[in-house]
Amino acid sequence: MSSGSLVISPDFQHILRVLNTNIDGRRKVMYALTAIPGVGRRFANIACKKAGVDFEKRAGELTPDEVEKVVAIIQNPKQFKIPAWFLNRQKDYKTGKYQQAFANTLQQKLREDLERLKKIRAHRGLRHYWGIRVRGQHTKSTGRRGKTMAATKK
């Protein structure tokens, strides 16, 4: 039989629970890991390479040791020689450290950042608070489904 056979091995898992996230076991490992918030395709790719996981494997075919190895790499990327510029939380505001924010930590960090911006009354923070576009988009004619902030017609 070929390696891409449709026969499912007895230890195949359809859903894996990794870092508080359900992962689809039928997808290939690299793409399955992208279901974890804070882990994109490139970070999943480098994590799989560092763990020595075969890219042709499906996530459900991973052994518990391989899963542990991938999780360890995602949690401590600098210990596995992943460069600082590759991480998604560079020079953290409070700690000044470079780290990879993922799963629950990612939501917590984003919330803290927004609260800080609102607290110091920064322009970005105020626009988040008002619920209008933050990144310099035009608001006169677009984005009218939420709040109406643009100039009204006379």
Side-chain angles (χ1 to χ4, degrees):
M1 241 183 216
S2 66
S3 61
S5 65
L6 296 171
V7 179
I8 298 174
S9 63
D11 56 342
F12 185 85
Q13 291 180 286
H14 288 279
I15 295 175
L16 286 89
R17 186 81 176 157
V18 178
L19 296 171
N20 296 330
T21 309
N22 292 336
I23 289 180
D24 186 4
R26 296 170 300 181
R27 296 174 77 190
K28 291 203 174 173
V29 181
M30 187 180 109
Y31 295 101
L33 287 176
T34 60
I36 301 168
V39 177
R41 287 199 309 245
R42 291 197 20 100
F43 192 77
N45 184 345
I46 205 167
C48 289
K49 280 181 183 172
K50 296 281 183 186
V53 175
D54 181 22
F55 284 103
E56 292 302 310
K57 266 189 177 180
R58 303 282 169 176
E61 297 170 355
L62 290 177
T63 64
D65 294 339
E66 287 174 326
V67 173
E68 281 178 37
K69 209 170 188 182
V70 170
V71 168
I73 291 168
I74 292 171
Q75 287 178 328
N76 308 309
K78 292 199 317 198
Q79 288 180 358
F80 293 91
K81 295 194 171 81
I82 293 177
W85 57 263
F86 212 92
L87 307 180
N88 67 5
R89 184 81 181 164
Q90 297 180 10
K91 210 168 178 191
D92 185 45
Y93 183 75
K94 285 184 180 174
T95 60
K97 291 181 179 176
Y98 291 76
Q99 58 193 20
Q100 180 75 11
F102 54 88
N104 298 340
T105 337
L106 182 68
Q107 278 96 19
Q108 180 187 342
K109 297 283 186 192
L110 286 172
R111 201 174 323 104
E112 285 173 9
D113 288 347
L114 286 177
E115 288 304 316
R116 180 178 58 84
L117 288 170
K118 288 175 192 172
K119 192 173 126 192
I120 63 174
R121 309 285 289 166
H123 183 258
R124 251 175 72 204
L126 290 174
R127 291 187 75 87
H128 272 293
Y129 177 70
W130 293 330
I132 58 175
R133 302 284 168 90
V134 177
R135 297 187 174 180
Q137 298 97 321
H138 291 268
T139 55
K140 183 177 179 181
S141 58
T142 63
R144 293 185 177 184
R145 237 174 278 187
K147 286 184 180 175
T148 37
M149 288 295 293
T152 54
K153 253 194 167 181
K154 293 178 183 175

